[in-house]
Amino acid sequence: MAIMRMGYAHVRVTDLAEARQHYTQTLGLNEVAADGNKVYFKGWDEWDHHSVVLEEGGVGLVKFGFKAQYEDDLADIEKKAQAFGATTERISKGEELEVGEILRIHTPSNHIFDVYHEMTSGQVDVGNVNPEAFPRDLRGVGAPALDHALITAEDAGLMERFLHECFGYWTAEKVATSLDPADQHTIAVWMTATTQIHQLAVLEGPQSKLHHFAFRLEEGWEVNRAADLFAMDDVPIDVGPTRHGITRGKTVYFFDPAGNRNEVFAGGYLSFPDRPMVTWTPDVLGKAIFYHARELNERFTTVLT
Amino acid sequence: MTKVTVHPTGEVVEVRDGETIMGAFYRTGYAMRIGCKRGGCGFCKIDVHDGAFEYERPVSDEVVTPAEAADGVCLPCRAVPTGDMVVEFRENSLRLVNPLMRYMLSSKEVPARPSHLSTTV
């Protein structure tokens, strides 16, 4: 295994104070550090130093961090990325707060992916010995961890090949114009390298854009409770609570104070490399994305940051 | 209280002090093409023909470029009029969805949000 998980999302926000309120009081993340115009957060069930970085000034994605299992994975992925034609660079240990040496990849979709093996690590909030099920003093949604993200790219099929060849990801599900691989145009892919049903999804659209990054919840009722909290805190809900046909996960989409789309996601089935890939056809795209309403709202495929 | 007039239909909506253009239209029974409602996506852009406004929160130059701003492009989800305005909605996005609200609420006050509902870090 090379890539274990999406380690962090680094996004821009227009007002750091408002964003802090959202990510700590509404979502329930813990603020772990502040450095200049950046603030760092983690969920209660994450042991690495941070999983979200907010940077004041603008809106949208700065980069994603992906944690590799072994130190040697960086050189291996570097070689594969360069062979694929992607531009890479090395970032020295310490240039990113509490992160070791980084392999920075400029992807075919014009996103920046930082691959690293080392990050300051500690314990989850319930401790590593005889832990309770959850901390008693959770705030708001009490999101335990970052889960996955969706980005857009002009060529989703190219990004699928890039993630397969360089990250070792497999495609759990896809939307394609044909069931015949030799005659299909890939509209969107949901990819992973673990039993987590998706770590990164790519939807055909503009280069370098963020659709959303998502936080994991355990149960469907927690998704409903999160939606109630968003109503209490005047957080604009985009869609939900509902279920996805793709991944079968329960979901609510909402927007942070800068307009970046967030999601809370619960459930979904397990993925394995030998499980047959699920293909959805465009005529049922509404049901694939929103299983109950069976239709897409206008915002979902066009509102990006 | 300021007024926002819609070009070319001539609809007029009264905007309360500190209220956004979007908030005033929603309060009075309209719906419009809205994205994140937080100034981040630019999905709701309208064009200002006359009048001035200020944003209640920072709006990124990446969302409304300086050239667009100079041309009168405005985000109604964040824009608070500083005087009477004339605006045009794009692609006929504005639609009256609740005529009763338009009739009943446009000239009535609503209670302020209780301060205890606010939280701070």
Side-chain angles (χ1 to χ4, degrees):
Chain A
M1 180 187 290
I3 298 296
M4 294 190 291
R5 62 180 175 274
M6 173 169 284
Y8 58 83
H10 180 168
V11 298
R12 295 188 192 88
V13 296
T14 45
D15 185 316
L16 204 47
E18 275 199 321
R20 264 184 165 137
Q21 177 82 10
H22 171 81
Y23 285 94
T24 60
Q25 302 304 308
T26 300
L27 278 173
L29 303 184
N30 297 321
E31 181 177 328
V32 293
D35 181 20
N37 65 341
K38 296 178 193 162
V39 182
Y40 299 76
F41 305 87
K42 71 187 273 292
W44 66 262
D45 204 25
E46 292 174 312
W47 53 94
D48 275 351
H49 181 263
H50 59 265
S51 61
V52 173
V53 184
L54 303 182
E55 180 175 338
E56 189 165 61
V59 63
L61 184 68
V62 177
K63 58 184 181 288
F64 284 125
F66 292 89
K67 191 168 189 184
Q69 186 169 11
Y70 304 109
E71 191 171 355
D72 290 347
D73 290 333
L74 270 62
D76 180 51
I77 295 171
E78 183 175 48
K79 191 167 63 177
K80 291 173 177 171
Q82 289 172 351
F84 197 89
T87 304
T88 66
E89 57 186 307
R90 290 283 187 140
I91 309 297
S92 302
K93 177 178 179 175
E95 288 198 30
E96 293 286 340
L97 187 69
E98 306 294 349
V99 183
E101 185 172 12
I102 290 170
L103 167 65
R104 178 161 294 169
I105 304 174
H106 301 262
T107 71
S109 58
N110 284 346
H111 292 88
I112 296 174
F113 289 178
D114 281 357
V115 181
Y116 60 96
H117 165 66
E118 183 188 351
M119 179 186 273
T120 304
S121 181
Q123 63 178 14
V124 296
D125 284 12
V126 290
N128 300 348
V129 178
N130 304 329
E132 299 297 348
F134 54 85
R136 297 180 69 96
D137 56 350
L138 291 178
R139 295 177 309 278
V141 173
L146 181 70
D147 192 76
H148 68 266
L150 169 58
I151 58 175
T152 59
E154 288 178 356
D155 190 338
L158 180 65
M159 276 302 287
E160 180 186 21
R161 291 196 297 279
F162 170 80
L163 290 165
H164 175 68
E165 291 180 23
C166 302
F167 276 17
Y169 277 14
W170 62 83
T171 307
E173 304 203 23
K174 72 161 47 180
V175 179
T177 53
S178 166
L179 298 180
D180 178 2
D183 184 36
Q184 69 179 196
H185 176 77
T186 299
I187 295 169
V189 290
W190 284 257
M191 303 187 72
T192 188
T194 66
T195 54
Q196 180 185 354
I197 182 59
H198 65 319
Q199 295 185 6
L200 185 67
V202 184
L203 171 69
E204 186 174 88
Q207 293 281 89
S208 71
K209 287 292 187 179
L210 171 69
H211 186 279
H212 72 266
F213 60 103
F215 297 92
R216 180 180 315 146
L217 294 179
E218 192 174 337
E219 308 285 354
W221 64 262
E222 292 178 283
V223 173
N224 288 321
R225 179 178 175 276
D228 290 341
L229 288 161
F230 301 150
M232 291 180 201
D233 288 354
D234 289 333
V235 174
I237 290 177
D238 185 15
V239 183
T242 184
R243 178 197 282 275
H244 292 300
I246 295 166
T247 74
R248 303 181 200 150
K250 276 79 77 178
T251 177
V252 176
Y253 288 100
F254 52 100
F255 293 102
D256 80 3
N260 298 302
R261 190 188 278 101
N262 295 156
E263 180 191 19
V264 286
F265 178 93
Y269 63 90
L270 298 182
S271 174
F272 297 93
D274 65 333
R275 186 184 179 108
M277 182 181 67
V278 170
T279 302
W280 296 81
T281 53
D283 56 308
V284 292
L285 185 61
K287 183 177 178 179
I289 304 289
F290 299 123
Y291 192 63
H292 300 151
R294 289 169 291 158
E295 62 183 30
L296 291 173
N297 70 30
E298 185 186 8
R299 289 186 300 271
F300 193 73
T301 52
T302 49
V303 169
L304 308 165
T305 56
Chain B
M1 192 171 307
T2 58
K3 293 179 180 177
V4 174
T5 302
V6 180
H7 175 84
T9 61
E11 286 288 303
V12 177
V13 166
E14 292 184 339
V15 184
R16 293 175 173 154
D17 290 345
E19 192 173 36
T20 63
I21 294 173
M22 181 197 77
F25 276 92
Y26 267 56
R27 176 174 51 78
T28 52
Y30 289 89
M32 65 178 73
R33 194 168 180 263
I34 282 291
C36 68
K37 301 182 183 176
R38 294 198 147 178
C41 67
F43 198 62
C44 63
K45 285 176 184 175
I46 62 174
D47 297 296
V48 177
H49 289 215
D50 191 33
F53 64 90
E54 57 190 21
Y55 285 122
E56 56 158 12
R57 301 280 196 284
V59 167
S60 170
D61 285 350
E62 298 167 54
V63 180
V64 178
T65 66
E68 284 180 312
D71 280 346
V73 174
C74 163
L75 298 182
C77 66
R78 289 299 200 200
V80 174
T82 54
D84 290 349
M85 297 177 70
V86 178
V87 305
E88 182 169 359
F89 287 78
R90 297 178 175 184
E91 300 168 12
N92 299 314
S93 82
L94 185 69
R95 57 202 186 279
L96 182 62
V97 294
N98 194 327
L100 186 64
M101 285 173 68
R102 169 105 177 94
Y103 172 74
M104 292 185 66
L105 298 179
S106 61
S107 61
K108 294 181 181 177
E109 293 299 322
V110 291
R113 189 167 188 262
S115 59
H116 71 273
L117 293 180
S118 299
T119 54
T120 53
V121 176

